[in-house]
Amino acid sequence: MIERNDVMARDGFFTGLDIGTSSIKVLVAEHINDEINVIGVSNAKSAGVKDGIIVDIEAAAAAIKTAIAQAEEKAGISIKVVNVGLPANLLQIEPSQGMIPVTNDAKEITDIDVENVVRSALTKSMTPDREVITFIPEEFIVDGFQGIRDPRGMMGIRLEMRGLLYTGPRTILHNLRKTVERAGVQIENIIISPLAMTKSVLNEGEREFGATVIDMGGGQTTVASVRNQELQYTNIYQEGGDYVTKDISKVLKTSQKLAESLKFNYGEAYVPAASQETFQVEVIGEVNPVEVTESYLAEIISARLKHVFEQIKQDLERRHLLDLPGGIVIIGGGAILPGVVELAQEIFGVPVKLYVPNQIGIRNPAFAHVISLSEYAGNLTDVDALAQAAVQGNEMLRQQPSNFARPLQTQSISPSRITTQRDPLPQVEAETRVEPAIEVAHSQEQETKTEKLTDRARNWLGNLFD
């Protein structure tokens, strides 16, 4: 049995937990010398989650526990800590800054000074129903010298810092922590999903000049626009792949389980690409099956997707974000239907592409979000860790300021590792934040669907876990 300590921004195991409306995904990745080895992944049916928010702690905790157990079996390790994604529901983002004097005799800036200057930036007043999720430093200023990424070891009298403060509803955060702890693991980081998605899915040029990521989930669709390396806009639309299934079930008068099967066996999102071939459908109230054309099924599917895309288009146009040079990148389980890219391209009128993770075994857009959580956690710097420790009030880092130790991930067997070389995430020189707080919208609620996805007949989908 091998035991090891993992250190942020260094080699180690990092586990991502994606709590979705329809499914819960857990992914264990080992980071070694800028390589990502995906050693375990699971995809379990969700429970206790509505519109991406936990509404039943016990049910959600049981589903998470099941997903973690499956990932542990595949990875051959005992998962102790997870990096959980937080949806953008009612997220607020605003610039903040702090300043402290350097008080030690040597006037050399230490970890404690970094933590203290972050705490000074957390003094902004907020309503009792909100809580700080995270704080991301953008630059430090030492005695007037700007643009410093890591001031530790420098000599100075005054230390200033500018960054972005992310806050969310206290109730949502409390329920998230309680649920994950009830599942038997600790939360290492609560990661804002749009930040992780854009960091992982977009390249440096797209994040600099601007691009939009659309995550088509089962219960909701998330949009995040980035420009100048900063999140400009994010929104959640409470319509996803489950709505498409419900539409098929309602129009064809068949069960939702069969509707899900029809969607993935015969579904096409772009009507001009659908054929006139027919298939039989068991209709409630009919003795004999009814013949339906693939073209008619495509009309049902495209109607719902058009409705979602047109809402997104209006919001992006209103904020002058539709014509970003990087165009639109689509991810998520709802993006695997043939014709989604073509339909989106027709509606948005800008370049649209489908993002597929390049790690062997998870080459499916449905896993783009969960792997982004693992990547984001593994690429946090020491300064990021200190900032998060200040938010959490972690006093242990004061005793061991240079040791970012995490709970042991115990490796019980030696599984075969699937290794894929990836370019390391680029170091971005952040600019001073001058824009006002980013607007975050939230759309109307809807019911969720919990049926499992049936077998997919499209050859290009392949096996989810190879």
Side-chain angles (χ1 to χ4, degrees), residues 232-246:
Q232 300 291 317
Y233 169 73
T234 185
N235 190 12
I236 289 180
Y237 301 82
Q238 300 301 348
E239 297 177 58
D242 293 347
Y243 260 39
V244 174
T245 302
K246 290 177 181 178

Side-chain angles (χ1 to χ4, degrees), residues 43-58:
N43 185 18
K45 186 170 73 171
S46 185
V49 183
K50 181 179 180 180
D51 300 337
I53 301 301
I54 294 169
V55 295
D56 186 331
I57 290 177
E58 293 298 332

Side-chain angles (χ1 to χ4, degrees), residues 58 84 103 112-113 144 168 178 212 288 416 435 463:
E58 293 298 332
V84 60
T103 57
I112 294 177
D113 294 316
K178 190 80 172 178
T212 296
N288 298 318
S416 57
E435 294 89 358
N463 192 305

Side-chain angles (χ1 to χ4, degrees), residues 430-444:
E431 298 179 357
T432 303
R433 177 77 174 177
V434 294
E435 294 89 358
I438 298 172
E439 177 183 2
V440 180
H442 184 65
S443 57
Q444 64 181 7

Side-chain angles (χ1 to χ4, degrees), residues 93-355:
I93 312 170
E94 58 182 309
S96 185
Q97 59 186 29
M99 183 187 71
I100 63 166
V102 181
T103 57
N104 65 73
D105 294 336
K107 298 300 179 184
E108 185 173 302
I109 298 170
T110 65
D111 289 2
I112 294 177
D113 294 316
V114 171
E115 212 174 327
N116 285 338
V117 76
V118 172
R119 284 198 173 94
S120 71
L122 300 178
T123 57
K124 299 179 75 72
S125 61
M126 66 182 69
T127 57
D129 63 328
R130 301 197 68 78
E131 180 179 337
V132 176
I133 303 169
T134 190
F135 183 88
I136 299 180
E138 290 190 313
E139 71 165 346
F140 292 88
I141 303 170
V142 178
D143 293 345
F145 292 96
Q146 300 181 356
I148 298 170
R149 298 292 294 169
D150 186 349
R152 294 176 302 167
M154 297 182 178
M155 184 173 290
I157 298 174
R158 184 181 65 185
L159 176 63
E160 300 174 70
M161 183 210 56
R162 295 171 182 166
L164 293 176
L165 186 66
Y166 293 77
T167 66
R170 186 178 297 272
T171 300
I172 291 178
L173 290 164
H174 171 81
N175 292 345
L176 180 64
R177 294 189 185 100
K178 190 80 172 178
T179 302
V180 175
E181 290 170 2
R182 192 70 60 88
V185 293
Q186 300 177 35
I187 292 181
E188 182 176 18
N189 293 291
I190 294 179
I191 298 173
I192 298 169
S193 293
L195 288 177
M197 286 192 310
T198 53
K199 186 89 171 182
S200 176
V201 171
L202 303 178
N203 59 41
E204 184 177 5
E206 289 169 336
R207 293 194 302 272
E208 179 65 35
F209 291 98
T212 296
V213 177
I214 299 178
D215 182 7
M216 302 176 65
Q220 58 189 15
T221 300
T222 302
V223 176
S225 295
V226 174
R227 183 171 53 196
N228 298 328
Q229 306 289 353
E230 293 180 1
L231 191 64
Q232 300 291 317
Y233 169 73
T234 185
N235 190 12
I236 289 180
Y237 301 82
Q238 300 301 348
E239 297 177 58
D242 293 347
Y243 260 39
V244 174
T245 302
K246 290 177 181 178
D247 289 345
I248 296 171
S249 174
K250 184 177 180 179
V251 173
L252 298 183
K253 297 180 182 180
T254 189
S255 68
Q256 289 198 22
K257 184 175 182 179
L258 181 57
E260 187 79 354
S261 177
L262 295 175
K263 181 173 70 173
F264 284 100
N265 286 324
Y266 304 101
E268 167 71 46
Y270 190 54
V271 176
S275 71
Q276 294 298 323
E277 294 184 11
T278 62
F279 54 89
Q280 293 187 334
V281 179
E282 295 180 3
V283 176
I284 297 173
E286 296 288 342
V287 176
N288 298 318
V290 175
E291 286 195 347
V292 177
T293 65
E294 291 188 5
S295 177
Y296 183 60
L297 179 63
E299 290 178 9
I300 301 172
I301 294 172
S302 65
R304 173 61 61 180
L305 296 181
K306 280 182 179 179
H307 178 67
V308 177
F309 287 158
E310 285 170 355
Q311 290 183 72
I312 296 172
K313 180 181 180 180
Q314 290 177 5
D315 289 338
L316 293 178
E317 284 181 332
R318 191 156 46 238
R319 292 159 181 84
H320 307 289
L321 296 171
L322 183 61
D323 296 326
L324 294 176
I328 292 174
V329 181
I330 298 180
I331 64 172
I336 64 180
L337 273 175
V340 168
V341 172
E342 290 80 0
L343 179 64
Q345 182 111 25
E346 180 180 276
I347 292 175
F348 291 113
V350 300
V352 177
K353 65 181 179 180
L354 177 69
Y355 175 83

Side-chain angles (χ1 to χ4, degrees), residues 44 80 86 122 136 151 205 236 241 264 347 366 393 402 417 428 436 457 461:
K80 303 297 183 184
L86 181 73
L122 300 178
I136 299 180
I236 289 180
F264 284 100
I347 292 175
S402 298
R417 303 288 171 80
V428 178
L461 289 179

